Amino acid sequence: MKLVVAIIKPSRLEEVRQALNSLDVHGMTVTEVKGYGRQKGHSEIYRGTEYAVHFLPKLKVEIAVDDALADAVGTAIRDAAQTGRIGDGKIFILDLLAVTRIRTGETGASAL
């Protein structure tokens, strides 16, 4: 099992959700996060004063999938989230050691 973690622009969430649904992947967790990468934030002007914004709003999408689907899920997220501009995000694919469905007690792939 794998845990796919993607940091994406908030405006691309619906496209990512649709891409995952087309792969029959329906469960995901989405968290609002802030951070920066190579773009190192930006400047904004508010009421005539310039402010440096160091942490930009992003979404963290987490999906637990079977090993066979991990690469396809990563590719689907990349294709759906990509705008070609700086700040599109990152995708991490991690080994997932154990999964347990709390309601039924199922473990492993059947708990996904």
Side-chain angles (χ1 to χ4, degrees), residues 55-91:
F55 294 98
L56 302 174
K58 302 287 182 178
L59 293 179
K60 180 179 178 181
V61 179
E62 298 171 292
I63 308 114
V65 297
D66 194 60
D67 288 337
L69 270 179
D71 288 336
V73 166
T75 300
I77 293 171
R78 184 195 67 218
D79 292 345
Q82 187 176 45
T83 66
R85 293 188 296 263
I86 193 164
D88 276 349
K90 294 260 191 311
I91 300 170

Side-chain angles (χ1 to χ4, degrees), residues 5-19:
V5 179
I7 307 298
I8 64 171
K9 290 181 175 183
S11 62
R12 304 305 293 175
L13 178 61
E14 185 57 27
E15 289 84 354
V16 168
R17 188 190 66 76
Q18 289 175 0

